[in-house]
Amino acid sequence: MNEVMETYILPDIKDLHKLDVYEANGGYKALRKALGMKPEEVTDEVKKSNLRGRGGACFPTGLKWTFMPKQTTKPKYLCVNGDESEPGTFKDRQIFELNPHLLLEGTVIACYAMGITTAYLYIRGEYGKWIRMMEKALADAYAKGYVGEKILGSEFTTNVVIHKGAGAYICGEESSLMNSIEGERGYPRVKPPFPAQNGLWGCPTTINNVETISNVPLIINNGWERYSKIGAPKHPGPILVGVSGHVNKPGVYEMPTGVPLLEIIHKYAQGIPGNKAIKAVIPGGSSTMILRGDQLEGAKMDADSMKAAGSSVGTAGMIVMDEDTDLIKVITRISKFYYHESCGQCTPCREGTGWLWKVLKRFENNDARREDIDLLMDVANNIEGNTICALGDAAAWPVQSMIRRFRDEFEKRVKVAEPRMLADASA
Amino acid sequence: MAKITIDGKEYEVDPKLSVIQAAAQQGIEIPHFCWHEKLSVAGNCRMCLVEIEKMPKLAIACATQVADGMVVKTMSEKVIKARQAVMEFLLINHPLDCPICDEAGECKLQDYSYKYSVGYSRFEEDKVHKPKRVELGPNVMLDVERCIMCSRCIRFSDEIAKQPVLTFTERGTHVVLTTFPGTVLDNKYSMNVIELCPVGALTSRDFRFKSRVWEMSATESVCTGCSRGCNMNIWVRNNEVLRLTPRLNEDVNSSWMCDSGRLNTFKFVNSQERLNNSLIRKEGTLVETGWDEAIAKVVSELRVFKKTEIAAIGSAYATNEDNFVFQKLMKEIVGTKNIDFVPHMIEGDEDDLLIRADKTPNSSGALQVGVKPADGGLDLKGIIKGIGEGSIKALYVLDDDIAAIPEIASVLPTLQLLIVHSSVKNHTTELADIVLSCSAYAEKHGTFTNFEGRVQRIRPAVATVEQDRALDGFAMSRWDKFASPNDRWGRPIKKDARPSWRILGAIAGAMGAKVKYTTAEDVFKEMTERIPAFKGLSYLKIGSRGTMIKTSETVSSSVQMA
């Protein structure tokens, strides 16, 4: 299977992370080509390619680029989001390690398209090793003139700055990411204003995911038409799928969008250990809605198909769980994550994430009542949609979907019915 | 103008406004915690979520700009449910310690709990625990558990006080409000965060634990700490002033007040140093006396001296009414031309927000009502010189501790007669021959004129012997209303003090003049007839926000003395 698949983002080439190897394999050709085009032609190419963001929201990348003002006296910025911190997601790390120059090439092309002279590459602080790899690649690219002053002899100048995160999941949210770069507390900003108008330091800013940006050289090299024919028509291109959990061969696999989930599990990840049945799959990182094993049939890894299946592509970080999995333990752990990572700004998320976790902890300890299931659902519903950023939603969705799709698991953990004590007079 | 619909009614509003502002202008309160008119928008409490047609989710009214044709629902089922949810969330980790919380009775969270909450809790887990007694600075105490992380105090410190020392640390429910390492919340406006705080997290180290708020009456008055004249409320329990809090006046002090004004201008009213009665010096010592004797003594003593041997010092701390009657008595009845007042400037102790270098509330008023030398009369310097040389033998001082100034104190012993109005024992009363016990600003009606020429009213909040809280129309607390004679608070301590204008009127009457002032308003009425700048004014017109008059003279040009 893997042998016949054409790979673009993570091709199987030894030492591709080295600049000379990258160059020998057609590296920085796209940059040269782009510099020969008008910036708006580059944007147009990306727009026509139908590339959609790989950071979770699947927003059309080219359209996002057109939001940047053309006439402005302020500097413009690009933030490349490499804060990947969602449980189940570890795909950008592979790009940092295996193909860093593809990312840098895409970054410079994006800067050229939008008239940006500074790009920030924001990498989560826990990726110390990968930050050092990117720093090496960046230094090499500077030395060869792919980044910096008058790139490849053109009039175009842009600088790339690597910024280390300090360990907060919330800083992967684009507006917190900008606050973090500014040295402020990682708090999401109220929108509007949107980053394209008022972003980093109040200037027009575009934020793209690492994998998204890494798709840009492919589009320029191959042309939008060819690119848009890869994978699912409405959500085309190669996609990195990280598979973890109960599979024989966990890892990051590059494939065209639209591959059936069952094929990913059984062919790419080579099935479930002991040939056990699949109880559940979280398809796109821990915030996406959990699917029952029997919902997988026909579900494919692209935006429309996943929506139809009752979940979303997210960051394509699949967590596969076999029939013996304690899903209450799973959802309790996921909830603990969002409780731990809620920035604390908005009331519903700050208070609700902890409440969810505390109630789930009682389910885990077989110390919950039947009505606590509805309480959980209600608390999740009260968080969803009522916060500044999507972390509240990300905390609510797994709980909602788990109750909706695995209510029996909760019911099994309910303590034998006893009258509800409204007030303990003895205390 | 933008046409918007709020709860089915159409309004024309300024398109630059947010939904919450537009609604507020129409008298519709959209509940909120973190939003404050004078601070930047944070959008974090989520209490102001409203439904806006064509928007997929509920929107926060504080951060949503109005648009023509916008249809806003503030009372729909969805909105009410979201509000109940936010209230429930806010309360799950909030200590339910209202019975011992200083904020109770004026707490936004408590009020909204009655108004927008469901009335019971579904939360049975352990609450998060955090530090309970954090000294943020010299004047402000923090209970982190009560904090709802609205960030108002942080924004105030950053944006208004310009001392960015407050911040949040930690994340989620563990968020802690604190000061940056090595800093304290210590600025001239630090106590404003106490009123900004919608809960009992930030409390006044001066006031906390002193009283439940409903046991106090609140009286609209004006701060006497400097010539800004910040509008404020005087809070009184059992006839004792317990705190001052700012009162909104866009033209004077916005919503703010300085810490010095709050802390340093009311304690003398309650203090042990207050005079209980008027005093007369007999055989070298001051002894208490009644009003009739004191007034008769003033009249008989003044008659001993020639008009040119008498001088009068008015007061920038006294009301316009007091100063007006004072100068009238001195110039027209006693007949001296030597009259002035002592300015109290602290050069450099001023800023762009509120604080003025002139530390008196009424120097422009004193000048305006005539506390200045008559033609050929001596000004302050001349008076001091005259006293030193022996040409001025009698001095009448209105409510100002002039002996606290060394160069004045040095000449005062040479006087043959020193008459002083004062509320408290001080350096000047120590030297006086007759001390007339005058009401403090918190005990009387009157007006001050601030540095810009704004005339503002003060009202009595503390009752004196001659007043009755109920009969004289004072603000009343629950205690005041429901006390019975066997309650401690039914028998408050009252001082036998009178407003200076009344004392001066009595002296004028005893000297044969026809003076008929029954109230401060009577005095004010005469001022409007005799002083062009006050023409057409009345207490009613001044109202609770004051009114501008034209000022032709400024204080600084008149006299210079610290």
Side-chain angles (χ1 to χ4, degrees):
Chain A
M1 179 74 211
N2 279 348
E3 297 78 34
V4 296
M5 254 301 299
E6 196 177 345
T7 49
Y8 303 88
I9 310 275
L10 303 173
D12 191 15
I13 298 166
K14 192 177 180 307
D15 289 339
L16 186 61
H17 66 281
K18 291 181 178 163
L19 182 51
D20 53 343
V21 179
Y22 185 69
E23 284 171 322
N25 286 281
Y28 289 107
K29 223 172 73 189
L31 174 59
R32 224 173 280 274
K33 187 175 170 188
L35 291 174
M37 297 159 73
K38 285 183 189 156
E40 50 274 24
E41 288 172 350
V42 178
T43 301
D44 207 43
E45 198 78 7
V46 174
K47 205 172 161 185
K48 284 186 193 151
S49 78
N50 274 334
L51 168 63
R52 292 166 73 167
R54 300 288 195 254
C58 298
F59 192 83
T61 306
L63 182 63
K64 196 188 235 184
W65 290 9
T66 63
F67 296 157
M68 290 290 271
K70 286 197 178 60
Q71 306 293 331
T72 175
T73 52
K74 291 178 175 176
K76 293 187 265 188
Y77 296 103
L78 172 70
C79 296
V80 182
N81 188 347
D83 191 53
E84 76 173 348
S85 314
E86 174 118 333
T89 308
F90 43 95
K91 63 188 178 71
D92 295 339
R93 192 181 69 191
Q94 298 304 101
I95 299 174
F96 298 142
E97 179 168 341
L98 301 172
N99 207 351
H101 286 285
L102 180 70
L103 171 60
L104 292 176
E105 188 175 5
T107 302
V108 177
I109 295 171
C111 287
Y112 177 73
M114 291 180 273
I116 289 168
T117 54
T118 308
Y120 286 90
L121 175 52
Y122 190 102
I123 308 177
R124 66 181 305 201
E126 293 90 333
Y127 279 1
K129 180 180 155 193
W130 293 273
I131 289 169
R132 287 191 290 280
M133 288 173 160
M134 278 313 300
E135 281 169 347
K136 169 80 172 72
L138 182 61
D140 292 346
Y142 261 107
K144 283 279 285 301
Y146 294 123
V147 185
E149 298 283 314
K150 305 201 170 191
I151 294 166
L152 297 175
S154 73
E155 286 304 304
F156 181 63
T157 294
T158 197
N159 285 295
V160 177
V161 179
I162 293 175
H163 189 102
K164 290 177 206 173
Y169 168 71
I170 193 61
C171 290
E173 192 279 337
E174 61 179 20
S175 59
S176 315
L177 184 144
M178 294 189 294
N179 277 344
S180 174
I181 292 175
E182 288 182 21
E184 298 287 328
R185 194 176 154 79
Y187 262 180
R189 298 177 183 176
V190 176
K191 294 177 202 172
F194 292 96
Q197 275 75 49
N198 189 332
L200 197 57
W201 288 297
C203 300
T205 304
T206 291
I207 301 101
N208 285 133
N209 170 260
V210 163
E211 187 187 342
T212 312
I213 286 291
S214 302
N215 272 267
V216 171
L218 317 178
I219 297 165
I220 300 303
N221 271 336
N222 302 324
W224 65 267
E225 220 165 348
R226 216 183 124 198
Y227 178 91
S228 65
K229 291 203 172 76
I230 304 168
K234 285 185 181 165
H235 184 192
I239 186 167
L240 300 184
V241 179
V243 190
S244 61
H246 300 136
V247 289
N248 281 315
K249 209 180 159 207
V252 174
Y253 298 98
E254 179 176 345
M255 62 191 75
T257 53
V259 175
L261 264 53
L262 286 172
E263 189 181 323
I264 297 171
I265 295 167
H266 292 294
K267 291 193 176 158
Y268 287 84
Q270 297 180 12
I272 314 295
N275 279 326
K276 286 184 189 169
I278 300 171
K279 189 175 197 174
V281 168
I282 294 171
S286 61
S287 66
T288 55
M289 298 210 182
I290 192 164
L291 296 171
R292 280 195 318 265
D294 60 20
Q295 288 178 297
L296 301 179
E297 193 64 50
K300 295 173 193 157
M301 192 55 94
D302 66 76
D304 292 342
S305 178
M306 289 311 300
K307 198 177 167 194
S311 189
S312 47
V313 173
T315 52
M318 278 175 70
I319 303 170
V320 181
M321 289 160 273
D322 72 19
E323 54 192 297
D324 296 332
T325 311
D326 179 354
L327 287 180
I328 297 302
K329 214 168 169 179
V330 170
I331 190 63
T332 307
R333 185 61 190 83
I334 289 175
S335 279
K336 188 179 181 184
F337 174 79
Y338 292 104
Y339 171 45
H340 185 66
E341 296 295 345
S342 169
C343 78
Q345 194 177 195
C346 301
T347 307
C349 175
R350 178 183 68 236
E351 305 295 341
T353 50
W355 194 0
L356 288 177
W357 175 69
K358 285 171 180 176
V359 176
L360 283 166
K361 196 78 194 154
R362 284 197 284 113
F363 276 100
E364 197 183 343
N365 297 334
N366 301 310
D367 189 28
R369 287 183 303 267
R370 190 166 297 273
E371 57 262 38
D372 287 332
I373 305 173
D374 294 330
L375 174 67
L376 277 176
M377 194 61 154
D378 210 38
V379 171
N381 291 345
N382 284 343
I383 301 171
E384 187 192 8
N386 289 340
T387 52
I388 291 176
C389 83
L391 195 145
D393 300 340
W397 291 333
V399 174
Q400 291 167 334
S401 60
M402 191 67 90
I403 295 173
R404 244 178 250 136
R405 288 166 189 166
F406 295 96
R407 198 179 176 99
D408 55 324
E409 298 270 330
F410 289 86
E411 283 168 347
K412 271 188 248 164
R413 301 296 263 268
V414 165
K415 179 165 64 167
V416 179
E418 59 180 54
R420 180 174 174 151
M421 195 184 289
L422 285 172
D424 188 348
S426 67
Chain B
M1 296 302 262
K3 246 190 204 152
I4 65 163
T5 308
I6 306 176
D7 296 332
K9 260 181 96 174
E10 249 189 40
Y11 302 96
E12 293 231 331
V13 300
D14 181 345
K16 286 196 283 293
L17 297 178
S18 64
V19 172
I20 207 168
Q21 288 171 317
Q25 280 189 359
Q26 306 303 331
I28 302 163
E29 198 217 5
I30 298 175
H32 57 272
F33 290 102
C34 68
W35 180 76
H36 190 278
E37 227 186 332
K38 299 291 180 330
L39 304 174
S40 62
V41 171
N44 59 37
C45 76
R46 318 307 285 178
M47 190 61 188
C48 71
L49 284 168
V50 291
E51 197 174 341
I52 296 174
E53 272 183 17
K54 289 176 195 149
M55 286 197 185
K57 296 196 285 187
L58 297 180
I60 44 173
C62 65
T64 308
Q65 202 179 336
V66 298
D68 201 40
M70 188 180 259
V71 180
V72 182
K73 292 173 191 165
T74 75
M75 295 301 289
S76 72
E77 203 181 320
K78 233 174 133 184
V79 172
I80 288 169
K81 187 165 185 298
R83 249 175 227 163
Q84 288 172 345
V86 170
M87 286 305 302
E88 184 178 39
F89 282 135
L90 282 172
L91 290 168
I92 63 171
N93 279 307
H94 189 86
L96 300 181
D97 63 348
C98 306
I100 56 141
C101 178
D102 267 312
E103 192 80 358
E106 55 183 12
C107 172
K108 233 174 157 59
L109 187 62
Q110 193 182 41
D111 292 349
Y112 282 179
S113 292
Y114 285 101
K115 222 168 159 183
Y116 302 111
S117 200
V118 292
Y120 61 89
S121 175
R122 299 183 291 176
F123 185 78
E124 295 167 43
E125 325 303 324
D126 289 337
K127 288 187 185 234
V128 174
H129 290 292
K130 295 178 187 176
K132 296 293 284 180
R133 284 168 289 275
V134 182
E135 293 173 7
L136 280 188
N139 301 330
V140 181
M141 201 74 167
L142 165 67
D143 179 330
V144 191
E145 282 186 353
R146 290 183 188 152
C147 175
I148 59 166
M149 295 82 150
C150 71
S151 78
R152 276 181 170 192
C153 54
I154 298 178
R155 284 174 282 146
F156 175 82
S157 301
D158 293 358
E159 297 162 17
I160 310 286
K162 312 274 186 205
Q163 193 212 21
V165 296
L166 292 177
T167 186
F168 288 133
T169 58
E170 306 295 330
R171 283 195 307 245
T173 44
H174 304 291
V175 162
V176 169
L177 173 70
T178 186
T179 47
F180 286 109
T183 66
V184 284
L185 179 64
D186 184 9
N187 63 62
K188 288 179 174 168
Y189 298 96
S190 73
M191 293 178 79
N192 288 296
V193 300
I194 297 162
E195 284 92 39
L196 281 174
C197 182
V199 292
L202 298 172
T203 50
S204 161
R205 292 181 72 182
D206 185 65
F207 170 72
R208 69 197 212 112
F209 307 143
K210 288 224 175 108
S211 176
R212 314 308 332 239
V213 296
W214 54 87
E215 293 169 354
M216 298 184 288
S217 59
T219 306
E220 290 188 351
S221 190
V222 169
C223 178
T224 57
C226 80
S227 60
R228 168 74 57 181
C230 290
N231 289 212
M232 54 93 167
N233 279 310
I234 305 176
W235 295 80
V236 169
R237 185 184 70 171
N238 200 22
N239 216 32
E240 190 184 352
V241 184
L242 295 181
R243 67 170 180 180
L244 307 179
T245 57
R247 184 162 58 85
L248 178 74
N249 190 335
E250 296 295 0
D251 298 317
V252 182
N253 56 306
S254 184
S255 308
W256 323 122
M257 198 172 162
C258 74
D259 289 12
S260 172
R262 288 166 187 265
L263 297 174
N264 303 330
T265 62
F266 75 84
K267 290 184 182 164
F268 80 94
V269 179
N270 313 324
S271 94
Q272 296 294 319
E273 299 303 304
R274 275 302 292 274
L275 296 167
N276 282 318
N277 292 98
S278 294
L279 308 167
I280 290 178
R281 193 170 293 278
K282 281 182 179 164
E283 290 158 16
T285 52
L286 287 167
V287 292
E288 292 198 356
T289 183
W291 285 106
D292 291 347
E293 193 188 347
I295 285 162
K297 182 85 173 164
V298 170
V299 174
S300 62
E301 290 289 327
L302 279 175
R303 281 193 176 134
V304 173
F305 300 93
K306 287 185 207 153
K307 291 175 181 178
T308 51
E309 293 172 343
I310 301 171
I313 293 180
S315 172
Y317 296 110
T319 62
N320 287 327
E321 289 76 357
D322 293 340
N323 277 318
F324 175 75
V325 179
F326 182 71
Q327 62 86 33
K328 190 178 161 188
L329 171 70
M330 290 304 149
K331 288 179 180 168
E332 296 176 17
I333 299 157
V334 174
T336 177
K337 292 176 175 176
N338 310 322
I339 176 167
D340 208 341
F341 68 93
V342 183
H344 296 272
M345 312 280 284
I346 302 179
E347 295 297 341
D349 184 22
E350 58 193 319
D351 61 27
D352 299 336
L353 190 55
L354 300 177
I355 297 169
R356 305 286 304 171
D358 180 353
K359 300 303 172 197
T360 63
N362 199 32
S363 40
S364 25
L367 259 186
Q368 210 151 36
V369 301
V371 182
K372 56 189 169 191
D375 282 346
L378 300 172
D379 66 4
L380 181 60
K381 275 184 185 164
I383 292 169
I384 296 166
K385 196 166 165 247
I387 298 170
E389 289 168 354
S391 59
I392 298 293
K393 297 189 169 82
L395 183 67
Y396 197 128
V397 181
L398 181 67
D399 202 10
D400 191 349
D401 188 13
I402 59 167
I405 300 166
E407 50 192 309
I408 298 182
S410 63
V411 299
L412 291 181
T414 59
L415 284 168
Q416 290 176 26
L417 174 65
L418 177 60
I419 304 169
V420 174
H421 284 219
S422 186
S423 309
V424 290
K425 290 173 199 147
N426 59 29
H427 300 91
T428 315
T429 61
E430 287 299 307
L431 301 170
D433 299 296
I434 305 167
V435 180
L436 297 156
S437 164
C438 68
S439 305
Y441 74 93
E443 295 161 338
K444 62 187 176 186
H445 281 287
T447 57
F448 291 131
T449 309
N450 85 345
F451 78 103
E452 287 177 308
R454 177 172 295 272
V455 181
Q456 308 193 95
R457 282 185 63 185
I458 58 167
R459 294 168 180 76
V462 174
T464 53
V465 168
E466 62 167 16
Q467 294 161 319
D468 182 88
R469 194 165 277 283
L471 296 178
D472 289 322
F474 281 33
M476 305 269 274
S477 69
R478 277 191 56 198
W479 272 27
D480 299 327
K481 286 175 193 160
F482 303 115
S484 62
N486 58 333
D487 291 322
R488 183 166 58 86
W489 56 88
R491 289 174 278 117
I493 298 161
K494 287 180 171 183
K495 302 287 190 309
D496 191 5
R498 291 181 183 178
S500 287
W501 61 263
R502 190 189 294 282
I503 301 168
L504 296 161
I507 292 166
M511 291 178 92
K514 283 189 178 166
V515 193
K516 289 278 175 219
Y517 305 127
T518 313
T519 63
E521 203 168 358
D522 293 340
V523 179
F524 191 79
K525 194 157 172 279
E526 190 178 319
M527 286 161 57
T528 62
E529 288 157 5
R530 294 184 51 168
I531 305 165
F534 285 83
K535 205 181 160 193
L537 286 186
S538 68
Y539 274 12
L540 195 67
K541 276 186 187 164
I542 295 169
S544 58
R545 299 279 191 277
T547 188
M548 289 295 283
I549 56 167
K550 284 194 189 82
T551 49
S552 51
E553 290 164 278
T554 57
V555 191
S556 52
S557 62
S558 152
V559 270
Q560 283 293 342
M561 180 164 296

